[in-house]
Structure formats: structure tokens, C-alpha cells
Amino acid sequence: MATPPGARQATTHPQVITGARVVLPTGTVPDGRVTVDGRKIVPNTAAAHGNVIDVRNHWLVPGFVDLHNHGGGGASFSGSAEDVQKAIHAHRSHGTTTLVASTVTDDMDVLVRQAGLLSELAEQGDLAGIHFEGPFISPCRKGAHSEALLRDPDPAEVRKLIDAARGRAKMVTLATELPGGIDSVRLLAEHGVIAAVGHTDATYEQTVEAIEAGATVATHLFNAMPPLGHRAPGPIAALLEDERVTVELINDGVHLHPAALELAFHRAGAGRVAFITDAMDAAGIGDGHYMLGPLEVEVSEGVARLVEGGSIAGSTLTLDRAFKRAVTVDRLPVRDVVAALSANPARLLGMDDRVGSLEPGKDADLVLLDENFDLKGVMRQGVWVVEPQLT
């Protein structure tokens, strides 16, 4: 596999990053220090002599972990291996050092082939795994998915996708109220794959049944599901109230009103929120015409919508922008935003022994932000993807 654009070799000398506000699981350390040796964070006492990088007046936070991402940089995770690498690098340059590639609804044979390609990249360490969003979703809440290709979640077909991913399937989004939905949730749970409730027209009671069967994620909460009602609370209430469920939120200022985001944080708590991008090809690129699976999308003023019907079609979000908005617009504490962007999704993926926080022994995945929370540097596994910009 070719080296992705912008990749660099790891330094042979320890790197000692000093002076930043370092956000740790135990709290924020002013004038903190993080030592990197090779690919890993090491104890600060481990390298008495290293290359010192003074980043005072900046924030140092863990690399971001994106559970739900369809592409970026003008390329899609439904495309060729070259396209996938291009999209990976586009998001790495915005701080996403761990990324799950999401597919969109298509013919089963197409999804099976794409699962094989994506699993190879996951085996190489370029991806954290695969998320299948569709085709097992409700035509009533299809969003930017082709209705003609939707199908009920037959456990045999769900198993076919899992097998095609060769152990790299991380999540499947289902409308669990459809025939076969609950059995498919149980199948996924038995195979260690996250069952996510999304693109669903389920009632409150049906959603509770899905959670009891093993569903543990709400796919982009609030979006592509019935609204919260006082007599028919629907899936939103069930997903928010259960401590076993992590809720995805797209914090781009388009998908959610700030009050909805505040409600989710208040009810679920900072430990159960995962910020995602749900990004499509245009992330990091700009306005224009794109394809999302088999559907044509127009992006105007940063908002992606289907050409036919006008439904929102994913986002053009990158997680550094989600971070800045959460802190500066939504006024969330930095520690809670770090949890939603790094620690929580890492734990959900079962990768928190390697990523998600700045602790010795973990991968040296770091994001450097200035006082205005603009991105100024990205390190992945000890290599600067974006060199520190300190002037």
C-alpha cells in the first residue's frame, strides 16, 4: 500500500512537549509536559534528553476518535483504496487520529466488496474498523439513503456483512423495529459488534426492547428518528435515559439546535456523548456537487443536501471544528468536550487501552490547539501529521 499523502517518518529521538494546558483524565494541567518516545507516550522521567518543543499558550488534547464518517478531502470510504487513503488523511489533518469508516446503503454485493477493501486497511492500522449504516434502515427515516436499496434486517444478511469485514466490523446501524431487527441486534451483540439504533421510526417501547436486546449506540441522536413527544416520547427518550447507551451528536450548527445538544449532555451526561462528523466527501474541501453512494449531493455554504428531495446528506464537518464550536458556542467545559471527542468513543470501540487520553503507554496521538481553539498541530503515533504552527 502506498504511503498516504503527508505521511512522515517517526523521529528517532524522544520529543518533550512542554508549556501547554494538557488535558488529562484527572484534569487540566497548566504548563504541562508530555513526553513521546517512538510511537508511544512515556513517563516524563523516561527521557531526560529529548527534543524540547515549547508550546506555551496552547492546549494539548488527545487525538480525536470518529465513530461515524463517510469520507472527506473529496473522496469517499465507498471508493477505491486510494480514495479511502485520501479521506483518511483529510481527517487526520484536522485532528482525527482514529477513524471508523462508514458505508452507505448500496447493493449487498457492493457492500460486501467494500467491506473486504476496508478490512484490509483496518488490518494495516489505517482504520479502526467499519460501520455499516444501511441498508437495514426505515424507509420512513431514510435520510440520504436510496429507498430502492433498503431492506429489512435479516440476521443472515447482517451476518454476511460481518463475515465480509473479517473481524473489522465495529458497528451496524439498524431500524430495530423492522422485521428481524431484534434478532439482528442479538446477533451483533453475540459477535462483539455494536448495534446502533438509527434511521428508525421506532416507538419508545420498541427502542427499549432493542436496548434490552443489546443495542448500545444512538446513531446521530435526534436526526433521522421521530421527534421527542410528550405522549409518544419515541426513541430519543429511551436512548437518552438508559445508562448503557452512548449517543452520537453532530455538532455542526446545522444538524442540531444548541438547545438539543444541551439537552443531550444534561440528560445523558458527558460520559455518554460521542461527537461524530457523519462527514461526506466535501469535508475539508468546500461547496460543489458530490455523490453519496448512488445519490447526488449539492453542498452550498457548507451544508450538504440531496439534489432530489433536499434531505441533509451527512455533513462537511471536521472534528476540530466540532471541538471549537462545543467550547466557544455551546460553552461546554473543555474536559467534557475532550471526553466526547476522544475518551468516550475510544472506550466504546474497546480501544481505550491504546487511544483516547494522554497517558503513558498509549499511542502518541495528540492535537495542539491555540487559545482560540484553532488547530495548530496533529501527531499520530509519534509522527507529526501537521507540524506545530507556533507563530
Side-chain angles (χ1 to χ4, degrees):
M1 179 64 61
T3 302
R8 302 176 178 87
Q9 296 298 313
T11 180
T12 57
H13 302 289
Q15 301 176 78
V16 183
I17 305 168
T18 66
R21 299 181 185 92
V22 180
V23 182
L24 302 174
T26 53
T28 300
V29 179
D31 195 19
R33 172 175 162 170
V34 172
T35 303
V36 174
D37 194 355
R39 296 160 56 99
K40 299 291 184 180
I41 299 171
V42 298
N44 286 322
T45 56
H49 303 288
N51 297 326
V52 176
I53 305 171
D54 188 339
V55 294
R56 70 187 68 190
N57 301 320
H58 287 71
W59 292 84
L60 196 65
V61 301
F64 308 143
V65 180
D66 196 351
L67 296 171
H68 187 156
N69 187 316
H70 297 279
S76 166
F77 291 126
S78 296
S80 67
E82 184 179 356
D83 289 336
V84 173
Q85 288 284 12
K86 185 176 180 181
I88 290 169
H89 184 71
H91 285 281
R92 279 188 192 166
S93 68
H94 287 276
T96 298
T97 51
T98 301
L99 189 152
V100 175
S102 301
T103 62
V104 295
T105 295
D106 213 320
D107 288 319
M108 284 294 293
D109 289 345
V110 172
L111 292 174
V112 165
R113 286 197 302 271
Q114 196 64 19
L117 184 154
L118 294 172
S119 66
E120 289 181 10
L121 294 170
E123 288 161 6
Q124 293 174 188
D126 294 323
L127 293 169
I130 306 167
H131 163 218
F132 296 100
E133 187 182 25
F136 311 115
I137 60 176
S138 172
C140 301
R141 304 286 174 177
K142 64 182 184 297
H145 292 256
S146 172
E147 184 170 354
L149 297 171
L150 300 183
R151 59 185 67 207
D152 291 339
D154 180 349
E157 293 200 314
V158 174
R159 177 65 185 268
K160 186 177 181 180
L161 289 184
I162 296 173
D163 290 344
R166 303 200 302 262
R168 301 295 174 169
K170 287 292 185 179
M171 184 160 65
V172 178
T173 292
L174 304 163
T176 55
E177 76 279 7
L178 295 176
I182 297 300
D183 286 340
S184 293
V185 169
R186 293 194 182 102
L187 172 73
L188 292 167
E190 289 168 3
H191 286 80
V193 179
I194 297 163
V197 178
H199 288 275
T200 177
D201 205 39
T203 64
Y204 172 88
E205 291 77 15
Q206 289 171 326
T207 307
V208 169
E209 183 183 9
I211 296 168
E212 291 298 328
T216 57
V217 165
T219 294
H220 42 55
L221 187 74
F222 298 107
N223 298 117
M225 60 182 62
L228 186 66
H230 65 291
R231 291 195 181 93
I236 294 171
L239 294 162
L240 280 175
E241 72 184 10
D242 198 297
E243 294 296 320
R244 294 169 289 185
V245 176
T246 297
V247 298
E248 295 181 348
L249 298 176
I250 308 171
N251 192 25
D252 61 353
V254 176
H255 282 79
L256 296 176
H257 189 282
L261 183 135
E262 195 279 333
L263 171 65
F265 262 90
H266 178 75
R267 184 62 186 90
R272 291 204 291 123
V273 172
F275 281 140
I276 61 164
T277 59
D278 194 18
M280 46 80 71
D281 301 26
I285 293 293
D287 293 355
H289 288 268
Y290 300 86
M291 297 299 294
L292 184 61
L295 301 179
E296 187 177 358
V297 175
E298 182 174 0
V299 178
S300 177
E301 297 182 352
V303 180
R305 293 186 180 275
L306 292 182
V307 170
E308 184 176 344
S311 293
I312 292 178
S315 85
T316 61
L317 187 63
T318 53
L319 284 182
D320 58 329
R321 286 171 45 211
F323 192 117
K324 180 170 182 174
R325 179 178 177 85
V327 175
T328 62
V329 176
D330 303 308
R331 303 295 180 183
L332 294 171
V334 171
R335 65 180 181 277
D336 291 351
V337 178
V338 168
L341 284 166
S342 303
N344 297 344
R347 183 174 60 251
L348 184 70
L349 293 172
M351 299 180 66
D352 52 328
D353 60 331
R354 288 178 39 213
V355 300
S357 61
L358 301 180
E359 297 178 274
K362 295 193 177 183
D363 289 354
D365 293 353
L366 321 170
V367 175
L368 186 67
L369 304 166
D370 67 14
E371 291 182 303
N372 297 317
F373 299 98
D374 290 318
L375 185 142
K376 295 298 177 180
V378 180
M379 175 185 284
R380 183 177 187 269
Q381 296 181 359
V383 177
W384 288 106
V385 178
V386 177
E387 295 280 355
Q389 303 164 36
L390 304 176
T391 57

